[in-house]
Amino acid sequence: MRSINPSDDIAKEKRRSTSRLNHRPNGKGKSARRFAIAMAAALVASSLLIELTAEPTTHAATNVQHSASNTSVQSNAVNTEKKLHYTAVEGAYYYTVALRSDGSVWTWGRNLWGELGVSEKVRYRHTSGPTRIPELSNVIAISAAGGGINAAVQADGTVWEWGAGKLPSKVESIHSAKDVVTGTLTVALLQNGTVWSWQHPAAQGSDYDHLRKPHAISGLKDIIQVGTAGLHGYALKKDGSVWTWIEPDEPGKVLSKPTKIKGLTNISSITSSDTSLLALDKNGKVWGLDETGKAFAFDYDFKVKKMDGNSQYMLLLTTSGEVYSYGRSVNGKEGKVNHLSGITDISAGYYHSLALSSDGTVWGWGSDKYEEAGAPATSSGGMVYKPVQAKIGTDVYLNGELFESMYAAVETAKTVQLPIKAIATALGAEFEIYQVKGSPNHYTLNYDNRTITIRPNETQYVITSADSSGERVVQIPEPINNYSGATTVPFEVLRGLGLNVSWDSEKAMLTIDDADKKDSGSLTR
């Protein structure tokens, strides 16, 4: 397991990045060299910023080109008429955040600083399936940053942030947002085309009193996209011009006035490349900024319709639907990313990359030590070289109420494994582990007058009942298991307790009902 000390990660990445800057994409000539120089200059500036803020430069550049199509009119999975799918995905520092078509937000990967949004205190090495962020619904846009700060915009225009040890909380003063981008500072685009910005504790330590609270960026209007890199904010106007400003990093300093970036015209979208800006014009050409802030064009022989960047590399999605990676590619290979088709969006995580297909599936590749790519690693060293498909998150309903837990229900090839301790608590059941010489010997699950006994590695369980003198042996698809640090059992086990349990793969929903318990109170945990 990697050190959880951000300073150690920063020092190692600085050493790695220095050598990477001497490499340039094959056949890209002058523009590639200029990109490397620009990224080197940005890295130096970023390193100085790190020392001031004590935040790792692991900002995952977000695809800020969100649209209203992400809006869901149904927040309850029970009412979903269409097969659920993902509508947006963001890669960050060893983790992923995804938006589902019903407006729910799902995360997977490493959870050391609360970046997955499911617990303020519990840390676990990896997830074995998507975990739903509790009490966050009707979301229309998401953003993820490598420092562990993430944000979402709900359909009502409110912005919610989580990470750095905190569960989702509403950002005060923001009531009509349509998009948000997180980083050292957070920038929100409002529905009227104006821009607000603020800093957070992860950027400036724990001194809440000196943080720059949400405030309007004066002089900006008719904005259609926003971005952030370091303490720089960026805004794209509908006339195709790009504007920038700098947020002060010390209390009392005056906010700079937004200025127009020369050389960038006819721009259709913007994003950041960890420490700088990338811009796409309406002709499909990608632009960057060199060490002096001067705009330059990349010389690629294809037209680009979407782009994203992070940690000295960038992903490009062409108008023909192909994905290319240049710079410090996450799988060590530049050029076209094979085995992808029908791609509509891309996201460059710090060590892994992601693509969203037209059917709403998410594909990941690169580093996968913590299953941040969305599925178990397929190569040694925790790597994925051929993109793997991420699972769709599974909802669990107990007596009609959404069950929420820091541990996910994990769909396998044969069944759905449930975090039994949390499920048992919500049901009012008792789950016990009996050990012999420090190792589990058997498990028991007690509910009403029934007792289920399961032994490790066995695909059966035994039921005993106070109403019967005998016992019954029942087969199950898989043995009891452990996912993401939680003991799990196949959902079929709960049927042995007399519960009605059903699994709907189309709706990604598992329901557990007990008519006698349905009206006894909330089962949400």
Side-chain angles (χ1 to χ4, degrees):
M1 193 177 200
R2 286 175 58 86
S3 168
I4 61 173
N5 185 341
S7 298
D8 294 341
D9 286 337
I10 294 166
K12 291 177 183 177
E13 186 53 35
K14 284 182 182 178
R15 292 193 293 270
R16 285 193 290 263
S17 297
T18 301
S19 62
R20 290 173 189 143
L21 293 173
N22 294 323
H23 173 73
R24 69 175 187 268
N26 294 331
K28 300 308 170 193
K30 186 176 179 181
S31 66
R33 290 193 294 273
R34 294 171 72 181
F35 175 68
I37 293 171
M39 296 305 293
L43 181 63
V44 172
S46 160
S47 300
L48 294 175
L49 177 61
I50 292 168
E51 295 172 2
L52 290 172
T53 64
E55 179 186 15
T57 53
T58 55
H59 167 65
T62 63
N63 179 0
V64 297
Q65 200 168 7
H66 301 298
S67 68
S69 63
N70 289 340
T71 304
S72 172
V73 296
Q74 296 290 349
S75 61
N76 191 332
V78 175
N79 296 324
T80 303
E81 299 178 357
K82 188 178 176 182
K83 184 174 181 179
L84 292 172
H85 58 278
Y86 291 116
T87 59
V89 64
E90 298 282 334
Y93 192 58
Y94 290 128
Y95 68 97
T96 296
V97 180
L99 176 60
R100 207 170 66 172
S101 55
D102 62 349
S104 60
V105 180
W106 298 75
T107 57
W108 57 85
R110 192 177 71 171
N111 189 67
L112 291 185
W113 304 300
E115 53 267 53
L116 298 190
V118 295
S119 174
E120 294 179 344
K121 298 178 181 179
V122 176
R123 299 177 176 183
Y124 42 85
R125 184 183 179 93
H126 71 281
T127 55
S128 301
T131 302
R132 180 175 181 148
I133 297 182
E135 300 180 8
L136 194 59
S137 60
N138 293 321
V139 171
I140 61 172
I142 56 173
S143 180
I149 294 294
N150 313 284
V153 179
Q154 288 188 322
D156 62 2
T158 57
V159 175
W160 297 72
E161 285 188 318
W162 71 93
K166 294 191 177 297
L167 293 175
S169 61
K170 186 167 67 173
V171 178
E172 299 300 327
S173 305
I174 305 294
H175 306 290
S176 58
K178 62 185 295 186
D179 201 4
V180 65
V181 177
T182 58
T184 302
L185 63 132
T186 301
V187 182
L189 172 61
L190 303 192
Q191 295 168 7
N192 62 2
T194 61
V195 176
W196 282 56
S197 178
W198 63 95
Q199 295 172 336
H200 45 70
Q204 299 292 329
S206 58
D207 190 355
Y208 285 83
D209 294 335
H210 292 101
L211 291 178
R212 189 169 291 276
K213 303 299 189 295
H215 56 279
I217 305 300
S218 61
L220 290 180
K221 60 180 182 178
D222 298 326
I223 303 302
I224 59 174
Q225 270 191 307
V226 291
T228 176
L231 291 175
H232 288 260
Y234 298 100
L236 171 63
K237 283 191 175 184
K238 65 181 181 181
D239 64 3
S241 62
V242 181
W243 297 70
T244 185
W245 71 97
I246 299 177
E247 290 277 353
D249 58 354
E250 295 180 8
K253 282 192 175 182
V254 179
L255 180 73
S256 71
K257 183 179 179 180
T259 58
K260 185 177 179 179
I261 299 178
K262 296 180 179 179
L264 293 181
T265 59
N266 204 32
I267 300 301
S268 61
S269 67
I270 59 174
T271 188
S272 63
S273 58
D274 189 29
T275 51
S276 189
L277 177 76
L278 291 174
L280 179 67
D281 68 24
K282 294 180 181 179
N283 295 317
K285 180 172 287 189
V286 179
W287 295 75
L289 301 179
D290 64 17
E291 68 278 11
T292 66
K294 184 178 180 180
F296 69 91
F298 291 97
D299 184 19
Y300 296 111
D301 54 3
F302 47 74
K303 288 187 177 181
V304 176
K305 67 176 179 179
K306 288 195 176 181
M307 65 197 170
D308 200 11
N310 199 341
S311 183
Q312 287 75 61
Y313 87 103
M314 59 181 174
L315 287 178
L316 304 174
L317 175 61
T318 70
T319 54
S320 60
E322 297 176 322
V323 178
Y324 288 81
S325 179
Y326 290 110
R328 184 205 58 84
S329 177
V330 295
N331 60 2
K333 180 183 178 182
E334 292 184 311
K336 183 181 177 182
V337 180
N338 295 319
H339 311 292
L340 290 174
S341 62
I343 301 304
T344 59
D345 207 352
I346 49 178
S347 179
Y350 202 79
Y351 290 122
H352 70 294
S353 297
L354 299 154
L356 180 68
S357 67
S358 57
D359 63 359
T361 56
V362 169
W363 300 84
W365 66 98
S367 174
D368 196 36
K369 295 178 181 179
Y370 312 100
E371 294 197 27
E372 60 268 36
T378 54
S379 299
S380 60
M383 291 294 296
V384 168
Y385 294 101
K386 179 181 178 180
V388 293
Q389 183 178 341
K391 300 173 184 176
I392 196 76
T394 297
D395 278 322
V396 177
Y397 282 82
L398 299 182
N399 291 336
E401 296 184 13
L402 179 64
F403 169 75
E404 296 180 327
S405 170
M406 69 185 71
Y407 298 108
V410 179
E411 182 181 358
T412 69
K414 297 180 179 180
T415 185
V416 175
Q417 292 268 352
L418 299 176
I420 189 57
K421 289 183 180 179
I423 292 285
T425 299
L427 285 170
E430 294 181 356
F431 177 74
E432 300 286 344
I433 302 175
Y434 295 87
Q435 296 186 339
V436 175
K437 295 182 180 181
S439 298
N441 176 264
H442 66 280
Y443 309 83
T444 62
L445 184 60
N446 299 291
Y447 185 69
D448 285 346
N449 63 346
R450 299 191 185 194
T451 298
I452 287 177
T453 302
I454 312 175
R455 295 189 178 277
N457 304 315
E458 291 187 359
T459 55
Q460 63 181 28
Y461 63 86
V462 177
I463 304 177
T464 57
S465 173
D467 300 332
S468 174
S469 59
E471 61 181 35
R472 186 160 53 98
V473 178
V474 180
Q475 300 298 314
I476 50 177
E478 294 176 345
I480 196 168
N481 213 318
N482 186 291
Y483 286 103
S484 306
T487 302
T488 63
V489 301
F491 75 86
E492 292 89 348
V493 169
L494 297 182
R495 290 173 176 163
L497 298 177
L499 300 169
N500 297 319
V501 187
S502 61
W503 161 239
D504 188 330
S505 60
E506 289 293 308
K507 295 180 179 180
M509 182 176 65
L510 190 143
T511 59
I512 305 168
D513 290 315
D514 185 339
D516 295 334
K517 301 293 182 180
K518 204 171 221 181
D519 300 324
S520 62
S522 174
L523 292 173
T524 303
R525 181 176 183 268

PDB file of all heavy atoms in Angstrom, residues 399 401 426-427 447 514-523:
ATOM      1  N   ASN A 399     -37.301  -3.280   2.340  1.00  0.00           N
ATOM      2  CA  ASN A 399     -38.700  -2.905   2.599  1.00  0.00           C
ATOM      3  C   ASN A 399     -39.061  -1.580   1.947  1.00  0.00           C
ATOM      4  O   ASN A 399     -39.700  -0.709   2.549  1.00  0.00           O
ATOM      5  CB  ASN A 399     -38.962  -2.845   4.102  1.00  0.00           C
ATOM      6  CG  ASN A 399     -38.934  -4.224   4.735  1.00  0.00           C
ATOM      7  OD1 ASN A 399     -39.149  -5.225   4.064  1.00  0.00           O
ATOM      8  ND2 ASN A 399     -38.656  -4.278   6.023  1.00  0.00           N
ATOM      9  N   GLU A 401     -37.156   0.920   1.030  1.00  0.00           N
ATOM     10  CA  GLU A 401     -36.294   2.058   1.280  1.00  0.00           C
ATOM     11  C   GLU A 401     -34.878   1.788   0.789  1.00  0.00           C
ATOM     12  O   GLU A 401     -34.354   0.677   0.938  1.00  0.00           O
ATOM     13  CB  GLU A 401     -36.254   2.389   2.778  1.00  0.00           C
ATOM     14  CG  GLU A 401     -37.593   2.830   3.338  1.00  0.00           C
ATOM     15  CD  GLU A 401     -37.493   3.247   4.797  1.00  0.00           C
ATOM     16  OE1 GLU A 401     -36.350   3.425   5.276  1.00  0.00           O
ATOM     17  OE2 GLU A 401     -38.533   3.380   5.453  1.00  0.00           O
ATOM     18  N   ALA A 426     -29.341  -3.316   9.638  1.00  0.00           N
ATOM     19  CA  ALA A 426     -30.528  -2.632   9.131  1.00  0.00           C
ATOM     20  C   ALA A 426     -31.780  -3.494   9.273  1.00  0.00           C
ATOM     21  O   ALA A 426     -32.876  -2.986   9.510  1.00  0.00           O
ATOM     22  CB  ALA A 426     -30.323  -2.234   7.673  1.00  0.00           C
ATOM     23  N   LEU A 427     -31.619  -4.811   9.152  1.00  0.00           N
ATOM     24  CA  LEU A 427     -32.757  -5.723   9.264  1.00  0.00           C
ATOM     25  C   LEU A 427     -33.135  -6.010  10.711  1.00  0.00           C
ATOM     26  O   LEU A 427     -34.226  -6.492  10.994  1.00  0.00           O
ATOM     27  CB  LEU A 427     -32.432  -7.055   8.575  1.00  0.00           C
ATOM     28  CG  LEU A 427     -32.450  -7.085   7.049  1.00  0.00           C
ATOM     29  CD1 LEU A 427     -31.871  -8.401   6.545  1.00  0.00           C
ATOM     30  CD2 LEU A 427     -33.863  -6.882   6.528  1.00  0.00           C
ATOM     31  N   TYR A 447     -32.144 -14.413  12.697  1.00  0.00           N
ATOM     32  CA  TYR A 447     -33.238 -13.473  12.400  1.00  0.00           C
ATOM     33  C   TYR A 447     -34.542 -14.130  12.805  1.00  0.00           C
ATOM     34  O   TYR A 447     -34.866 -15.240  12.346  1.00  0.00           O
ATOM     35  CB  TYR A 447     -33.242 -13.121  10.915  1.00  0.00           C
ATOM     36  CG  TYR A 447     -34.254 -12.074  10.518  1.00  0.00           C
ATOM     37  CD1 TYR A 447     -34.105 -10.750  10.925  1.00  0.00           C
ATOM     38  CD2 TYR A 447     -35.352 -12.405   9.730  1.00  0.00           C
ATOM     39  CE1 TYR A 447     -35.022  -9.791  10.558  1.00  0.00           C
ATOM     40  CE2 TYR A 447     -36.270 -11.444   9.346  1.00  0.00           C
ATOM     41  CZ  TYR A 447     -36.111 -10.138   9.771  1.00  0.00           C
ATOM     42  OH  TYR A 447     -37.017  -9.170   9.400  1.00  0.00           O
ATOM     43  N   ASP A 514     -39.754  -7.838   3.844  1.00  0.00           N
ATOM     44  CA  ASP A 514     -40.369  -8.611   4.920  1.00  0.00           C
ATOM     45  C   ASP A 514     -41.626  -7.853   5.314  1.00  0.00           C
ATOM     46  O   ASP A 514     -41.552  -6.784   5.921  1.00  0.00           O
ATOM     47  CB  ASP A 514     -39.421  -8.734   6.109  1.00  0.00           C
ATOM     48  CG  ASP A 514     -39.990  -9.633   7.207  1.00  0.00           C
ATOM     49  OD1 ASP A 514     -41.214  -9.835   7.244  1.00  0.00           O
ATOM     50  OD2 ASP A 514     -39.204 -10.126   8.024  1.00  0.00           O
ATOM     51  N   ALA A 515     -42.777  -8.395   4.975  1.00  0.00           N
ATOM     52  CA  ALA A 515     -44.038  -7.692   5.214  1.00  0.00           C
ATOM     53  C   ALA A 515     -44.221  -7.329   6.680  1.00  0.00           C
ATOM     54  O   ALA A 515     -44.785  -6.286   7.014  1.00  0.00           O
ATOM     55  CB  ALA A 515     -45.213  -8.545   4.740  1.00  0.00           C
ATOM     56  N   ASP A 516     -43.726  -8.169   7.588  1.00  0.00           N
ATOM     57  CA  ASP A 516     -43.897  -7.907   9.015  1.00  0.00           C
ATOM     58  C   ASP A 516     -43.042  -6.746   9.496  1.00  0.00           C
ATOM     59  O   ASP A 516     -43.321  -6.139  10.522  1.00  0.00           O
ATOM     60  CB  ASP A 516     -43.541  -9.149   9.839  1.00  0.00           C
ATOM     61  CG  ASP A 516     -44.502 -10.291   9.557  1.00  0.00           C
ATOM     62  OD1 ASP A 516     -45.649 -10.002   9.171  1.00  0.00           O
ATOM     63  OD2 ASP A 516     -44.096 -11.458   9.714  1.00  0.00           O
ATOM     64  N   LYS A 517     -41.949  -6.444   8.749  1.00  0.00           N
ATOM     65  CA  LYS A 517     -41.021  -5.396   9.183  1.00  0.00           C
ATOM     66  C   LYS A 517     -41.171  -4.104   8.391  1.00  0.00           C
ATOM     67  O   LYS A 517     -40.572  -3.096   8.717  1.00  0.00           O
ATOM     68  CB  LYS A 517     -39.585  -5.904   9.039  1.00  0.00           C
ATOM     69  CG  LYS A 517     -39.280  -7.167   9.834  1.00  0.00           C
ATOM     70  CD  LYS A 517     -39.321  -6.911  11.319  1.00  0.00           C
ATOM     71  CE  LYS A 517     -38.970  -8.161  12.105  1.00  0.00           C
ATOM     72  NZ  LYS A 517     -39.011  -7.939  13.551  1.00  0.00           N
ATOM     73  N   LYS A 518     -41.964  -4.125   7.348  1.00  0.00           N
ATOM     74  CA  LYS A 518     -42.022  -3.013   6.413  1.00  0.00           C
ATOM     75  C   LYS A 518     -42.427  -1.700   7.062  1.00  0.00           C
ATOM     76  O   LYS A 518     -41.945  -0.640   6.710  1.00  0.00           O
ATOM     77  CB  LYS A 518     -42.988  -3.339   5.278  1.00  0.00           C
ATOM     78  CG  LYS A 518     -42.711  -2.577   4.015  1.00  0.00           C
ATOM     79  CD  LYS A 518     -43.572  -3.111   2.891  1.00  0.00           C
ATOM     80  CE  LYS A 518     -42.777  -3.199   1.621  1.00  0.00           C
ATOM     81  NZ  LYS A 518     -43.563  -3.681   0.499  1.00  0.00           N
ATOM     82  N   ASP A 519     -43.311  -1.773   8.018  1.00  0.00           N
ATOM     83  CA  ASP A 519     -43.826  -0.553   8.629  1.00  0.00           C
ATOM     84  C   ASP A 519     -43.185  -0.250   9.981  1.00  0.00           C
ATOM     85  O   ASP A 519     -43.681   0.581  10.738  1.00  0.00           O
ATOM     86  CB  ASP A 519     -45.344  -0.664   8.817  1.00  0.00           C
ATOM     87  CG  ASP A 519     -46.058  -0.864   7.494  1.00  0.00           C
ATOM     88  OD1 ASP A 519     -45.610  -0.281   6.496  1.00  0.00           O
ATOM     89  OD2 ASP A 519     -47.056  -1.618   7.471  1.00  0.00           O
ATOM     90  N   SER A 520     -42.073  -0.910  10.285  1.00  0.00           N
ATOM     91  CA  SER A 520     -41.485  -0.755  11.613  1.00  0.00           C
ATOM     92  C   SER A 520     -40.533   0.421  11.720  1.00  0.00           C
ATOM     93  O   SER A 520     -40.001   0.695  12.777  1.00  0.00           O
ATOM     94  CB  SER A 520     -40.728  -2.027  11.998  1.00  0.00           C
ATOM     95  OG  SER A 520     -39.662  -2.257  11.096  1.00  0.00           O
ATOM     96  N   GLY A 521     -40.280   1.126  10.592  1.00  0.00           N
ATOM     97  CA  GLY A 521     -39.380   2.278  10.649  1.00  0.00           C
ATOM     98  C   GLY A 521     -38.353   2.226   9.567  1.00  0.00           C
ATOM     99  O   GLY A 521     -38.289   1.291   8.784  1.00  0.00           O
ATOM    100  N   SER A 522     -37.511   3.254   9.519  1.00  0.00           N
ATOM    101  CA  SER A 522     -36.506   3.372   8.456  1.00  0.00           C
ATOM    102  C   SER A 522     -35.451   2.294   8.580  1.00  0.00           C
ATOM    103  O   SER A 522     -34.994   1.971   9.672  1.00  0.00           O
ATOM    104  CB  SER A 522     -35.846   4.747   8.518  1.00  0.00           C
ATOM    105  OG  SER A 522     -34.802   4.808   7.589  1.00  0.00           O
ATOM    106  N   LEU A 523     -35.066   1.731   7.453  1.00  0.00           N
ATOM    107  CA  LEU A 523     -33.987   0.748   7.413  1.00  0.00           C
ATOM    108  C   LEU A 523     -32.751   1.322   6.772  1.00  0.00           C
ATOM    109  O   LEU A 523     -31.773   0.624   6.573  1.00  0.00           O
ATOM    110  CB  LEU A 523     -34.440  -0.490   6.626  1.00  0.00           C
ATOM    111  CG  LEU A 523     -35.534  -1.331   7.306  1.00  0.00           C
ATOM    112  CD1 LEU A 523     -36.005  -2.398   6.348  1.00  0.00           C
ATOM    113  CD2 LEU A 523     -35.015  -1.957   8.583  1.00  0.00           C
TER     114      LEU A 523
END
